[in-house]
Amino acid sequence: MDLELGDRGYLVCGGSRGLGLAVASVLIAEGANVLLTARSKDALTSAADRLGERASWVAGDLSDPTSVDVVVQRTTEQFEDGLAGVLINHGGPRTGTALELTDAQWLEAFSQILGGPLRLIRGLEPELSEGASLLFVTSSSVRAPLPSLDASNVLRPGVAALAKSLAIELGPRVRVNTIAPGRIGTERSRFLDEERAGAARIRYEDQRAKMEALIPLGRYGDPAEFGRVAAFLLSPAASYISGAAIQVDGGYVRALP
């Protein structure tokens, strides 16, 4: 399938590693130009070098309003002919239960998951081309709460609701969707499994095997598998998909819509 991405411009948040890098890789392989943003300049430089001449970068932290403004300005300058889409993605929030997290930590999570992305979209909305696509990376916590990840359990469903609202407000010019990864083989997944293994006093390998047993496809996903679905949703090939919440989780979430 031709995703019709030739020379289109995309901003990929959290693009220096993990899921963001996987999506950027597919976009570029399909002919798009991608501006990566993340907090670490070193990681961004390394990612852009790997991706080649169609990749560039700007350092930015979605939880910092001033930093978001810098990303908006750079994106506007880079894609003068219009922006074809944005992957709204960031690192996972702090672990902890609802009552363990402090007020400051809750505010930090809000800025990261909702506040920063809202400011970014507000700034970039005038630059979005006709038929552009916004895609929020959420989590399986939107459908089923995850242990010791209450900031995600509470705020990610808010992102799903925001995407539904934006799909109405920005349509028909712009499409808005969410994509919910399950257990994908990233640094974040390994961190969570190591933390849970430590709490349960079992080996990391045993913790991972326990999680894989809960997935109908019997394994963690590869980031590239996630990247292909996300790139499709960002592309003109998905021109009649808006307001949708797509799961890429190997069947992990069993709840009906």
Side-chain angles (χ1 to χ4, degrees), residues 99-192:
L99 299 183
E100 289 173 345
L101 296 170
T102 66
D103 288 353
Q105 289 167 342
W106 274 108
L107 287 172
E108 174 188 65
F110 173 84
S111 296
Q112 179 185 30
I113 295 173
L114 272 169
L118 264 172
R119 186 181 185 92
L120 179 73
I121 294 165
R122 190 182 298 122
L124 290 177
E125 187 272 333
E127 312 304 322
L128 292 169
S129 303
E130 183 77 25
S133 175
L134 300 178
L135 181 60
F136 289 84
V137 178
T138 59
S139 164
S140 56
S141 63
V142 168
R143 304 289 308 286
L146 299 171
S148 297
L149 280 172
D150 282 358
S152 181
N153 296 336
V154 171
L155 295 171
R156 300 279 198 188
V159 174
L162 171 63
K164 280 284 191 182
S165 297
L166 289 175
I168 297 168
E169 294 171 21
L170 298 181
R173 185 172 66 90
V174 176
R175 296 180 298 105
V176 187
N177 295 292
T178 65
I179 182 168
R183 305 300 293 180
I184 310 290
T186 62
E187 293 176 20
R188 171 70 171 177
S189 291
R190 185 176 182 93
F191 166 77
L192 293 173

Side-chain angles (χ1 to χ4, degrees), residues 140 180 182-183 214-219 247-255:
S140 56
R183 305 300 293 180
L214 300 175
I215 302 170
L217 290 188
R219 61 178 177 84
Q247 293 169 213
V248 183
D249 65 359
Y252 173 74
V253 174
R254 290 163 169 76

